[in-house]
Amino acid sequence: MKITVFSQISIDGKLTLGAGNSSKDLFSLLNEQDIEFIHKFRGKVDGIVVGKNTILTDNPFLTNRYEINKNPVRIIPTSSMDIPLDSNVLTDDGRTIVVTTENGKDMEKIKQIQELGKECLICGTDSVDFKELCVQLENKYGITSLMVEGGGFLNWKVFDKDLVDEIVLMQLPIIIGGGTNVTLVDGEGYEELTTTKKFKVVEMQQQENYTLMRYLKAV
């Protein structure tokens, strides 16, 4: 399983213009060609992972609107299943897998999601077990590549489990600031250099509206 964390960030690593705000606000700084780059990247992977908060805040479709029949499977991890049934990822024709936990599963909600033609997976007891999720996605669905477009907490989960192979960042030339704002990776963090996750720079490209930076896991 190859996992790529893909994100648009400010110079100071922020994902939004404040806690609870939509990440879509930053997209106004991009042109059509930039948006096409994002969508076509989705066409290169089997699945795309976003957290529940992205669904609640942005209500995205998570499709590739530039290439026919190249849409990734939408994968939504949530420990409590409190995703609105009218969310775009549940009501359109695309394939969606909602991932929840043993203690967070709601059989009535699972039935409603399945009636909408979507699928559910149980991975973990109290919180989603991302290592087990990768195994199930590969064995049950043949999914071998994932694009994670998460917020700071979801990104922390996959980094902390040492699951990330690649990072692709579109760094926008703005400073946002804010001590409580969402950053690329939040969560508990590391307090010793020896425990940090290490990557190597493999590509940098200066574009009109952003700097493209790509990193691979250091071996």
Side-chain angles (χ1 to χ4, degrees), residues 171-182:
Q171 188 178 57
L172 303 165
I174 59 171
I175 295 291
I176 297 176
T180 61
N181 201 349
V182 180

Side-chain angles (χ1 to χ4, degrees), residues 146-160:
L146 292 176
M147 174 184 185
V148 178
E149 280 196 275
F153 184 70
L154 172 59
N155 289 346
W156 161 258
K157 288 290 188 179
V158 292
F159 276 112
D160 190 45

Side-chain angles (χ1 to χ4, degrees), residues 156-193:
W156 161 258
K157 288 290 188 179
V158 292
F159 276 112
D160 190 45
K161 296 299 182 181
D162 204 27
L163 296 173
V164 180
D165 301 290
E166 179 184 42
I167 306 169
V168 177
L169 300 178
M170 300 171 69
Q171 188 178 57
L172 303 165
I174 59 171
I175 295 291
I176 297 176
T180 61
N181 201 349
V182 180
T183 66
L184 179 66
V185 184
D186 292 323
E188 299 172 16
Y190 304 112
E191 296 182 352
E192 296 182 13
L193 189 61

Side-chain angles (χ1 to χ4, degrees), residues 128-143:
V128 173
D129 184 333
F130 284 90
K131 285 190 175 180
E132 174 62 22
L133 174 59
C134 288
V135 172
Q136 289 202 38
L137 289 175
E138 196 159 356
N139 292 342
K140 293 184 178 181
Y141 301 96
I143 293 174

Side-chain angles (χ1 to χ4, degrees), residues 43-57:
K44 298 177 182 178
V45 297
D46 298 327
I48 181 170
V49 185
V50 303
K52 175 196 67 179
N53 287 339
T54 297
I55 301 299
L56 295 177
T57 304

